Amino acid sequence: MSMNRPIIGITMGDGAGVGPEIIMKSLKDAQIYDTCRPFVIGDAKLLERADQFVHTGLRVRRIASVEEAQFVHGTVDCYDLDLLPADLPIGQVSKEAGHAAFMYLKQAIELANAGAIDAICTAPLNKEALHKGGHIYPGHTEILADLTGTEDFSMMLSAPKLKVIHVTTHVGILDAVRMINPDRVYKVIRMAHETLQKAGYEAPKIAVCGINPHAGENGLFGYGEEDEKVVPAVKKAQEEGIQVVGPLPADTLFFRATRGDFDIVVAMYHDQGHGPIKVLGLEAGVNITVGLPIIRTSVDHGTAFDIAGKGIADEQSLKEALKQAIELAPRREQ
C-alpha cells in the first residue's frame, strides 16, 4: 500500500440529513483505503447513530488531530467536534445542525491550510439550516472561497469520460451572457489547465464551447458574442502554450469529449455544462470547486431529509467524489 496515498478529510455536512449514513456506507468499502487515507470531520455520536440504520459494523474512533488517525479499514476515524446532541431530530431543519455543518467545513479548511490534508470531500449541507445557524452563504462553494480568500473560482463537474468547467453557474441565462467576458473565460481556461496539470495530465487538451448555436457560425447567429467574449481568451491562452481550442459548437463538442478528443470542456453557462453530465448518470456526477488552494469535491445531491434515517440513501455519489478527490489531489512525495 503506497505511503503517498492522499489524506482526505470528509466533512459530515448536515447531521440531520443523509450525510452520516452515506459516509458510513462509503467507508465500508475496503478499496477506498487502498487508494487514500480518509477520515471524517464531524460528530462521532451521529456517525454511530447512522450505523444503527445502515448496519456496516464499522467502529467509530474519536481523534483530536490528524496525527492520531490510523486510516485502517474497519474503523472510521472521526475528528470529533462534538457539537450536536445524539438525539438530533432526523430530517428536520435546525440551526444547530446548520452551524455545525459550517464548523466542520471551517475545521477542514484550517487542516488544509496547515498542510495536514490533501483534499476535502463534502457531504451535503442544508442551505436553510445553514442560514438559520447564522451563516449567510449560498452554499459550500462560497464558504470555501470566503474562508480561503479566493476571488476566482469555478464549478467543475466530473463524470466517467467527461469533465466540464463553468464560466458562469447560478445566474439567469441573460445575466450569464452579460457576465461572460474575455478575462473570465481566460481565467477559467487557466484553472482547467492548472487543475489537470496538478493531477498529472502533462498537457491537458481543453475545448471551449460557443455561446450561440453553432458557435455563432461566423455571425449568422447572435450578435458576435463569440468574437467579442470568447476568441480573445482562447488566443491569449494559446499564446501561453496552453492546449486549447474553440469556440466550438456545444452540440457536437460534448460527444467529441466523451470520445476522448478532449480532457475537459469549458461551458459558458449552467445548463450547457450540467445537461451532458446529468445524462451520463446522476449517481456518477461529482461537483468539484477549482481555483481554491485545496481540492474540494462533493456529492451532487442534497441532504435528502425525506429519506434520512431510513438507511436507504445511495452512497455512490460520495464514493465517486472520494475517487475524484484522490485523482485530483496533488501527489505527495514518497
Side-chain angles (χ1 to χ4, degrees), residues 27-331:
L27 294 181
K28 192 179 179 185
D29 184 348
Q31 277 184 319
I32 285 172
Y33 286 81
D34 293 337
T35 49
C36 75
R37 290 179 277 181
F39 71 101
V40 183
I41 301 161
D43 266 77
K45 53 183 130 32
L46 289 183
L47 293 174
E48 287 166 344
R49 175 173 78 170
D51 209 49
Q52 294 166 16
F53 317 134
V54 296
H55 311 296
T56 64
L58 300 172
R59 190 170 74 90
V60 177
R61 182 172 164 270
R62 289 157 174 77
I63 57 173
S65 71
V66 181
E67 290 72 36
E68 289 173 37
Q70 290 172 349
F71 309 116
V72 177
H73 180 249
T75 302
V76 174
D77 294 301
C78 177
Y79 194 116
D80 189 15
L81 298 196
D82 195 21
L83 294 171
L84 296 173
D87 60 355
L88 177 77
I90 295 170
Q92 290 179 29
V93 170
S94 82
K95 67 174 196 276
E96 292 80 14
H99 172 65
F102 176 85
M103 294 306 290
Y104 306 148
L105 189 60
K106 185 168 183 267
Q107 182 64 64
I109 291 165
E110 283 168 16
L111 292 172
N113 285 340
I117 61 177
D118 301 309
I120 299 170
C121 183
T122 58
L125 54 71
N126 182 282
K127 290 184 178 112
E128 192 185 340
L130 182 70
H131 293 175
K132 282 195 167 157
H135 306 286
I136 311 301
Y137 292 91
H140 268 120
T141 307
E142 292 78 11
I143 298 171
L144 282 148
D146 190 27
L147 295 186
T148 57
T150 304
E151 283 179 28
D152 295 311
F153 54 91
S154 177
M155 180 191 292
M156 177 168 141
L157 296 179
S158 185
K161 294 190 176 172
L162 183 61
K163 285 183 171 62
V164 181
I165 188 168
H166 294 73
V167 173
T168 66
T169 43
H170 293 119
V171 292
I173 191 84
L174 295 178
D175 292 326
V177 175
R178 275 195 288 271
M179 285 166 69
I180 298 165
N181 62 60
D183 181 54
R184 172 66 181 166
V185 175
Y186 166 74
K187 280 176 176 161
V188 174
I189 293 169
R190 254 218 100 75
M191 279 188 258
H193 177 74
E194 286 168 6
T195 302
L196 292 191
Q197 269 205 326
K198 278 183 194 157
Y201 292 74
E202 266 179 50
K205 299 193 295 287
I206 304 167
V208 180
C209 289
I211 301 171
N212 293 295
H214 302 209
E217 205 162 296
N218 301 320
L220 192 59
F221 305 113
Y223 301 92
E225 288 87 356
E226 279 75 17
D227 285 344
E228 178 199 334
K229 296 167 177 277
V230 184
V231 172
V234 174
K235 282 189 171 150
K236 184 177 176 187
Q238 285 170 340
E239 280 161 15
E240 291 175 11
I242 293 174
Q243 285 207 27
V244 57
V245 295
L248 295 172
D251 56 359
T252 49
L253 177 45
F254 289 100
F255 168 75
R256 290 184 60 195
T258 59
R259 192 174 65 184
D261 293 8
F262 307 107
D263 297 312
I264 190 164
V265 174
V266 177
M268 292 294 133
Y269 49 89
H270 183 284
D271 288 13
Q272 188 181 53
H274 280 58
I277 288 277
K278 305 270 169 163
V279 167
L280 293 173
L282 277 171
E283 67 293 327
V286 176
N287 182 336
I288 302 157
T289 313
V290 298
L292 302 173
I294 175 97
I295 289 293
R296 175 262 174 161
T297 68
S298 175
V299 295
D300 71 350
H301 61 72
T303 45
F305 279 172
D306 53 328
I307 59 166
K310 298 183 179 169
I312 58 174
D314 189 330
E315 74 277 21
Q316 286 315 309
S317 187
L318 183 62
K319 282 172 79 170
E320 197 57 44
L322 275 166
K323 266 191 210 152
Q324 293 291 333
I326 294 161
E327 187 185 317
L328 293 168
R331 296 287 164 255

